[in-house]
Amino acid sequence: MILVTGGAGFIGANFVLDWLAATSEPLVNLDKLTYAGNLHNLDSVQGDARHIFVQGDIGDTALLARLLAEHKPRAVVNFAAESHVDRSIHGPEDFIQTNIVGSFRLLEAVRAYWGVLPEGDRAAFRFLHVSTDEVYGSLAPTDPAFAETRGFEPNSPYSASKAASDHLVRAWHHTYGLPVLTTNCSNNYGPYHFPEKLIPLMIVNALAGKNLPVYGDGMQVRDWLYVKDHCSAIRRVLEAGAPGETYNVGGWNEKPNIEIVNMVCSLLDELRPRADGQSYRSQITYVKDRPGHDRRYAIDARKIERELGWKPAETFDTGIRKTVQWYLEHADWVANVQTGAYRDWVETQYEQQPVPAVGASA
Ligand code: NAD
Ligand code: DAU
């Protein structure tokens, strides 16, 4: 038995589905069901007795103590977080509460549980904290990719809150001996990605005939990993990672945002051409930049490749095609997540008028 937190969100739900397909081991899935949590992501495992869903907060100490005592997990995988950088700029409070205070409470509850396990179970127990490459800050064009040895320089309220949680996890290992593992992953994409993030937003806006809002000059670089590859990396780290270690996870897929948007448009032009025969690229609109926008992220994934033998299965070309196809085949899922609350956010975030950017062309 393992305990997964945040398993109704994008990566967590993909992880739960993968776990139940790849292993026979049951799991408890603790999720608060914020705007980003969606039980429809888990429709295909409804009725599977190995999946025990509990709605609740990682900051709820009493609930955590009860779940740990009742289910006696051999590992905890912590996905639960506020995850959207733009939302953290509009309102950081929830990020502090969940990503820092929530992670602290979870660590404390797990430490109390782990501390009284029988000797063999104590040694075998693992706490895996899922984190991000954003803790390392921003790279200049010629800088080497982020290695695990790089110092933390978080720039947004989101990345600062994640960096704080990474530090807590590290401290709980060094001070109390809790057998922790931390993964720092690059940008994920794939099925069940909430359409406030770049790739799904571009797909759903394109199909709805809306603008495709590109921040600033669109030349910011992100390093993309298909979500199923992130899930397989987490399973591998859980299985073979050394307690106290951190592992960077990435697929060596650095791309400027505008290239990503153009690729999405090209795939849609092929798979669902516009009725008027024009390319979806004509919907690209350059808008005001994100405040404090990190220019470039890139992951050096050699440690996890070398020490744990993990490699991604998808290239960006295969992963992005699967992703666009998934959204075309799941219009009902998209419609379902575009509730009033979603519309409120999109209207707040994109209310600004488009501004022309240097080199911008549609
Ligand atoms: P998401 O926003 O899609 O999902 C987060 C989930 O956590 C939701 O189901 C939400 O209901 C739940 N949650 C939020 N607050 C909670 C709380 N207090 N208690 C319990 N559950 C709570 O996020 P995601 O993109 O799936 O990211 C998952 C994790 O992976 C996060 O920790 C994030 O920092 C990290 N990460 C994400 C990416 C990425 O590209 N999306 C990359 C690297 C790391
Ligand atoms: O690097 C890992 C991180 O990737 C995770 O830790 C975060 O949880 C996850 O949300 C993601 O953060 P980003 O800020 O990189 O993702 P987002 O999809 O919001 O933006 C990707 C890039 O696209 C970024 O440079 C901003 C830009 N962008 C985004 C949106 C939503 C646009 O140009 N237009 C948009 O409308």
Side-chain angles (χ1 to χ4, degrees), residues 83-86 132-134 158 185-188 196-199 201-202 213-215 220 222 224 257 290 293-294 297 350:
S83 69
H84 191 34
V85 173
D86 292 322
T132 170
D133 59 1
E134 298 202 10
Y158 163 70
C185 189
S186 61
N187 284 60
N188 285 215
E196 63 185 353
K197 309 282 169 58
L198 180 73
I199 289 179
L201 183 80
M202 295 301 139
V214 173
Y215 297 164
Q220 305 84 1
R222 295 292 182 267
W224 295 92
N257 292 337
R290 171 185 281 174
H293 200 167
D294 284 339
Y297 303 142
Y350 301 103

Side-chain angles (χ1 to χ4, degrees), residues 6-12 30-38 56-59 78-83 98 130-133 158 162 185-188 193 196-197 230:
F10 163 48
I11 304 173
L30 172 65
D31 195 297
K32 186 176 177 179
L33 296 181
T34 67
Y35 79 93
N38 182 357
D57 195 315
I58 58 163
N78 183 30
F79 291 97
E82 289 294 335
S83 69
T98 286
V130 180
S131 192
T132 170
D133 59 1
Y158 163 70
K162 289 297 290 187
C185 189
S186 61
N187 284 60
N188 285 215
H193 205 182
E196 63 185 353
K197 309 282 169 58
H230 188 187

Side-chain angles (χ1 to χ4, degrees), residues 211-223:
N211 287 341
L212 307 181
V214 173
Y215 297 164
D217 64 1
M219 292 305 292
Q220 305 84 1
V221 172
R222 295 292 182 267
D223 188 353

